[in-house]
Amino acid sequence: MSMVALPPLRRVRPPWDALRRMFAVDMCAISAVLLATAPAIGALYKWTDANGRVIYSDQPPPGNVKVETINAPPPPANPNAVKDLANKEVELQKKKLVRAEDDAKTNKARVDANLRLQECQRARGQQIALGQSDQIVFYTTNPQGERVAMDDAARLAERQRLDYWIRQNCQNIPNT
């Protein structure tokens, strides 16, 4: 019986091992950034001067004065940052309002186009029905509200009225 030499086994690392190493590197980077910015976060001092005015400063007062230390975020680098932010907010609100108005106009135009299409289809259907057969009796209402059968002259007048209305209102609407 001959023995076959097997290659040495390689150690297979689990997939979470790489994640653990990446997390350690990220935590080191975050810690370094925090340590570097720590001196930039200064204290704010509050005291009352001899005239009774309350004074706030980033430097402690000279002399022997009772001082209260306030930990506050540093002021923004740009003195007009608040005003700029307010202006940007106003511009954003204007853009939203304009977009909403445009959307409303678009929706209204779409609804109007659908209504116009339906009216044109209805008028064309009536026009076809009036012209197809003399055997069908059509009715209309008189000024008193009574139903009256249409004679040939009334049919012709109604068909001419529909032709005119379709020419005026359905020029760009395809026949469906």
Side-chain angles (χ1 to χ4, degrees):
M1 187 159 60
S2 66
M3 301 235 344
V4 177
L6 295 174
L9 292 176
R10 289 186 348 186
R11 181 175 173 237
V12 177
R13 292 186 176 169
W16 58 83
D17 197 32
L19 291 174
R20 188 174 56 223
R21 277 187 267 131
M22 286 188 329
F23 181 71
V25 170
D26 289 344
M27 289 307 293
C28 289
I30 291 171
S31 299
V33 169
L34 288 176
L35 287 174
T37 59
I41 302 174
L44 188 63
Y45 301 99
K46 173 184 172 183
W47 72 91
T48 306
D49 68 359
N51 296 329
R53 294 183 305 174
V54 177
I55 299 175
Y56 294 91
S57 176
D58 61 344
Q59 299 176 356
N64 193 6
V65 179
K66 181 181 174 192
V67 177
E68 181 182 341
T69 304
I70 302 171
N71 291 330
N78 181 0
N80 296 325
V82 174
K83 190 182 290 185
D84 292 345
L85 184 60
N87 289 339
K88 286 181 182 178
E89 184 68 26
V90 168
E91 288 176 19
L92 181 63
Q93 292 298 330
K94 285 181 183 177
K95 287 180 183 178
K96 285 182 180 179
L97 183 62
V98 167
R99 190 177 319 130
E101 289 173 354
D102 289 346
D103 289 345
K105 287 178 184 176
T106 302
N107 287 339
K108 185 179 181 325
R110 187 178 306 126
V111 167
D112 290 346
N114 282 339
L115 288 174
R116 190 168 169 206
L117 174 66
Q118 290 174 358
E119 289 174 356
C120 288
Q121 289 172 342
R122 188 176 308 121
R124 287 178 179 141
Q126 289 174 356
Q127 181 185 33
I128 290 170
L130 283 170
Q132 276 184 347
S133 174
D134 293 335
Q135 303 292 326
I136 300 172
V137 178
F138 290 97
Y139 291 93
T140 185
T141 55
N142 64 12
Q144 291 79 25
E146 300 169 339
R147 276 180 44 159
V148 178
M150 294 176 93
D151 60 356
D152 290 338
R155 267 186 157 177
L156 181 61
E158 182 66 16
R159 189 150 188 231
Q160 289 173 347
R161 187 187 69 78
L162 285 171
D163 286 341
Y164 178 77
W165 190 89
I166 289 171
R167 277 194 310 275
Q168 294 298 316
N169 297 300
C170 303
Q171 292 175 355
N172 298 328
I173 297 177
N175 290 337
T176 55

